[in-house]
Amino acid sequence: MHDTRKERYKKVAYYPGCALEGSGQPYDISTRAVGKKLGLELVDVKDWNCCGAMEVKNIDPEVQTYLSSRVMSQAKHKNKADVVMAPCNGCYHNLKKAEHDIAQKPKSKEVVEKISAKAGHEAYQPGEIETIHALDWIKWGFGEEELKAKIKGGLKGLKIANYYGCMYTRPRHIFPEKGKGGDSESLTKPHYMDDLLAVAGAENVDFPLKTACCGGAHTLSDSDMSTKLVLNILEAAEAAGAEVIATECPTCHSGLEMHQIRALKRLSKDTNVKVIYFTQLLGLAMGLSPRKVGLNANVSQSIPLLKAKGIV
Amino acid sequence: MPIHEKSLIRPENLETHENLVIDGIDVSGDWSTFIRSRVVTDYNEDLQDEIAALPGGEYIHRCWQCGSCTNSCTVNAENPDFNPRYWIYLIRMGMESELVRDKDIIWQCVSCNKCTSACPRDVVPEGVMKATAHWLEMKGYTEKTNSTVFDEIFTGQVVERGKIEDGEVLMEFLKETKQPLMQDWLVQLVKQMVAGFPVFALLKMGMATVFKPKTSDWSKARDAIKSHIEEEKADARKALGLEPAE
């Protein structure tokens, strides 16, 4: 299993999605930089479209399924790929969900086939593509032992709370490979990000809100609730002794940055924990410059902290 | 307390007497407060079917009222009145007027899917919450919520071009919901962004607002999606016994 995955993940179709081209640019920059450094090849999915994010399903769930299925169909037929890597939790979640629904729900399959035919492309068939997260890609495509060899100064002395968000493990139905014990990712206490950052020298704190929700679905439409939820996460991370929250989702990341400011302005609650994408942290640990991993494009200003720690 | 008694002890269902004598015995004080007897007559026998006809609501019939959804709920932890189990109960009982009492908070589900992961009967409570929020709008009990406005703007862009541009979504949403663009936190956010942003990234974002990101060869997909959404909307309105949309 190990070696097969290593081979399979060496070159994957890359699906950045709308967020990584917009507000999540630092995640895109750092993912590409880390891939290059590790010698893993990324080829963008040709003419990709939005996966539907968290919104389209509320207007029409089958359209969401179609949108995600089209991305996989493009990867399969245009890129000739069999693995799609999506760093965004939302994209990753939706592709997995489409896979599940097309296989399990006759209506989903019917709608996907109907719209695909009208749109003039092959309808995606279950099992044609394996969708993985950036965490799987680095953990299995490269491996912890080899990663260790690439670490330059590392993240020594940096206390990190690893925040996975809600879409990486939930709901359980659409992640059949998780929660199987052994090397598999856990549904309730995910650890892949912890594993990778530990190899990079970080000190992972015991963080109870790893899979808590940041309220990202309503970040603008119900801002007060989102601010409260984000504040819970920031305060819990600080209470656990973290200096940095490592993120793996552009929605969580932007939400944490935005509501950290909003909590200060609206509730006078100041929190000092910095928000950084895990790929940025890995890149820094491997000796890439802050600019190379897009650190200056983060809203959360972490460079003074990282300088004080001697990391940059 | 069993949840079916919850509504009985609301203030309007309580009767209090300063001085009360029953059968020659003075029961003034605590004993003078009674729950008014009530007969429920306004059942909507079709309520469960109506919710089930909307996307997300199809598995509501499976609910056994174990409470795993509410117990795990992110929003319930912040606001105990946000109670998926209770609402599913009311829907299955056909108690429309009771359900409508909570019309202003049902849309607040954040879709974190803790409920759906915890549910032992695969009810998909997250879907039921979305279906219920839409049902309230379609039946005219609530105005279009901010959440729906956001979903429509977002989906509109995706259907039109295959991709969204997040700055444009933000602007349109603030405009549509009549919120000022110059909010203290938003101004601060932009200040912090601009301070560190490399020039090329700013340029790229600026270009995106002028030349909207677009998926190539999208027009046939766009038309197919549009007609599918229209068909589904018409079906939903029919299932709710509403007139066809104009």
Side-chain angles (χ1 to χ4, degrees):
Chain A
M1 185 72 185
H2 264 132
D3 290 331
T4 343
R5 267 190 292 192
K6 199 157 215 168
E7 213 39 59
R8 271 166 76 77
Y9 297 175
K10 205 94 198 152
K11 178 180 175 181
V12 296
Y14 176 55
Y15 176 41
C18 306
L20 270 74
E21 292 219 324
S23 53
Q25 271 188 42
Y27 197 15
D28 183 55
I29 295 167
S30 54
T31 300
R32 291 182 195 273
V34 164
K36 202 168 165 194
K37 191 86 184 166
L38 294 177
L40 302 175
E41 200 178 335
L42 294 175
V43 183
D44 287 25
V45 174
K46 233 173 144 29
D47 294 332
W48 55 265
N49 55 275
C50 170
C51 68
M54 284 170 291
E55 286 76 14
V56 175
K57 75 171 174 52
N58 299 335
I59 301 297
D60 192 312
E62 311 301 350
V63 168
Q64 167 117 54
T65 308
Y66 164 72
L67 290 170
S68 296
S69 80
R70 184 186 177 278
V71 174
M72 294 189 280
S73 172
Q74 290 292 106
K76 157 92 182 155
H77 298 285
K78 298 285 165 65
N79 291 60
K80 308 288 174 209
D82 51 11
V83 180
V84 168
M85 190 278 278
C88 167
N89 275 5
C91 298
Y92 167 71
H93 173 106
N94 282 346
L95 264 49
K96 289 278 197 190
K97 182 167 189 297
E99 176 89 7
H100 171 269
D101 285 1
I102 298 169
Q104 304 290 329
K105 295 182 177 176
K107 185 175 176 192
S108 299
K109 191 165 171 32
E110 190 192 311
V111 172
V112 164
E113 281 176 357
K114 185 186 80 181
I115 302 182
S116 302
K118 286 189 183 171
H121 61 81
E122 298 274 346
Y124 177 73
Q125 302 298 326
E128 287 182 338
I129 287 287
E130 182 191 5
T131 302
I132 59 169
H133 192 272
L135 281 169
D136 301 300
W137 176 60
I138 299 170
K139 186 167 168 92
W140 300 119
F142 204 73
E144 283 151 39
E145 283 311 309
E146 283 182 57
L147 182 61
K148 207 175 259 172
K150 290 269 179 183
I151 299 301
K152 297 261 167 59
L155 304 173
K156 219 170 159 60
L158 193 63
K159 295 193 180 73
I160 299 183
N162 290 282
Y163 176 53
Y164 297 76
C166 58
M167 286 183 287
Y168 174 68
T169 58
R170 282 198 299 270
R172 59 190 150 80
H173 323 76
I174 65 173
F175 299 108
E177 78 284 12
K178 289 182 186 173
K180 294 267 186 265
D183 280 343
S184 81
E185 181 62 298
S186 162
L187 279 169
T188 49
K189 287 182 182 162
H191 53 84
Y192 281 10
M193 194 166 25
D194 292 66
D195 298 348
L196 295 177
L197 291 176
V199 170
E203 190 183 315
N204 294 314
V205 303
D206 192 6
F207 181 49
L209 299 187
K210 278 170 189 263
T211 65
C213 176
C214 70
H218 288 333
T219 198
L220 289 171
S221 46
D222 190 7
S223 300
D224 290 342
M225 178 62 80
S226 296
T227 301
K228 267 192 220 166
L229 296 177
V230 165
L231 198 54
N232 287 347
I233 292 160
L234 295 169
E235 286 178 341
E238 280 200 327
E243 297 155 316
V244 167
I245 293 186
T247 57
E248 57 160 58
C249 168
T251 305
C252 297
H253 186 97
S254 321
L256 288 170
E257 288 187 324
M258 166 177 154
H259 290 285
Q260 186 171 37
I261 294 172
R262 202 170 179 278
L264 178 62
K265 292 279 177 191
R266 293 286 160 95
L267 309 171
S268 303
K269 296 265 190 182
D270 197 4
T271 45
N272 194 32
V273 57
K274 307 298 176 197
V275 190
I276 310 179
Y277 287 107
F278 86 95
T279 41
Q280 294 183 304
L281 290 164
L282 282 182
L284 293 173
M286 290 189 289
L288 293 173
S289 72
R291 201 162 277 270
K292 271 263 166 14
V293 296
L295 205 63
N296 43 347
N298 286 11
V299 170
S300 182
Q301 292 169 352
S302 55
I303 291 175
L305 167 76
L306 297 172
K307 271 194 179 145
K309 292 270 168 187
I311 293 166
V312 304
Chain B
M1 176 178 54
I3 53 179
H4 55 271
E5 289 176 5
K6 188 177 160 177
S7 63
L8 295 177
I9 55 165
R10 289 204 187 103
E12 66 270 26
N13 290 329
L14 298 180
E15 210 168 292
T16 308
H17 303 271
E18 284 295 316
N19 298 298
L20 187 65
V21 177
I22 294 175
D23 292 340
I25 299 163
D26 184 354
V27 291
S28 308
D30 288 346
W31 286 97
S32 67
T33 299
F34 294 88
I35 296 174
R36 239 180 233 132
S37 65
R38 188 183 69 156
V39 178
V40 179
T41 55
D42 59 345
Y43 290 104
N44 173 1
E45 303 271 5
D46 298 325
L47 186 50
Q48 176 174 319
D49 290 342
E50 289 180 7
I51 299 291
L54 296 179
E58 49 267 52
Y59 304 118
I60 187 171
H61 62 280
R62 294 176 179 167
C63 178
W64 270 348
Q65 288 291 300
C66 73
S68 299
C69 49
T70 296
N71 191 37
S72 61
C73 177
T74 297
V75 184
N76 176 270
E78 298 292 337
N79 175 11
D81 288 337
F82 190 95
N83 192 337
R85 171 174 84 143
Y86 177 53
W87 295 326
I88 292 173
Y89 170 81
L90 293 177
I91 293 164
R92 301 204 62 205
M93 296 283 283
M95 291 172 74
E96 182 161 327
S97 53
E98 285 293 324
L99 178 71
V100 171
R101 294 180 73 102
D102 290 332
K103 63 184 167 53
D104 294 328
I105 56 171
I106 290 174
W107 68 275
Q108 289 182 311
C109 163
V110 289
S111 293
C112 72
N113 274 309
K114 274 188 177 173
C115 52
T116 298
S117 256
C119 178
R121 293 274 297 162
D122 291 347
V123 172
V124 192
E126 185 265 348
V128 175
M129 288 302 98
K130 291 292 170 192
T132 309
H134 281 151
W135 178 86
L136 287 163
E137 289 176 354
M138 290 176 75
K139 285 274 183 169
Y141 286 120
T142 51
E143 294 288 306
K144 210 176 263 181
T145 63
N146 280 359
S147 170
T148 302
V149 171
F150 192 83
D151 292 341
E152 286 181 350
I153 292 171
F154 193 101
T155 305
Q157 285 192 18
V158 176
V159 173
E160 211 48 53
R161 307 197 294 257
K163 293 181 183 179
I164 60 123
E165 199 282 295
D166 39 17
E168 193 189 358
V169 173
L170 171 79
M171 304 280 244
E172 259 193 66
F173 174 76
L174 293 176
K175 203 175 114 197
E176 194 87 1
T177 54
K178 299 184 174 59
Q179 293 183 68
L181 188 57
M182 289 291 156
Q183 306 193 39
D184 51 0
W185 60 270
L186 205 51
V187 171
Q188 181 63 30
L189 183 80
V190 172
K191 266 190 202 159
Q192 272 177 234
M193 268 173 82
V194 175
F197 247 56
V199 177
F200 85 89
L202 283 174
L203 275 177
K204 203 172 163 190
M205 287 183 100
M207 292 290 269
T209 58
V210 184
F211 305 100
K212 315 287 186 206
K214 191 176 182 307
T215 304
S216 7
D217 198 18
W218 185 250
S219 60
K220 281 193 281 181
R222 177 188 62 210
D223 296 343
I225 293 170
K226 273 187 181 165
S227 71
H228 175 77
I229 291 178
E230 285 315 312
E231 282 166 31
E232 291 290 310
K233 269 190 190 160
D235 284 354
R237 292 186 67 83
K238 207 166 134 195
L240 267 55
L242 301 168
E243 292 300 304
E246 296 132 37

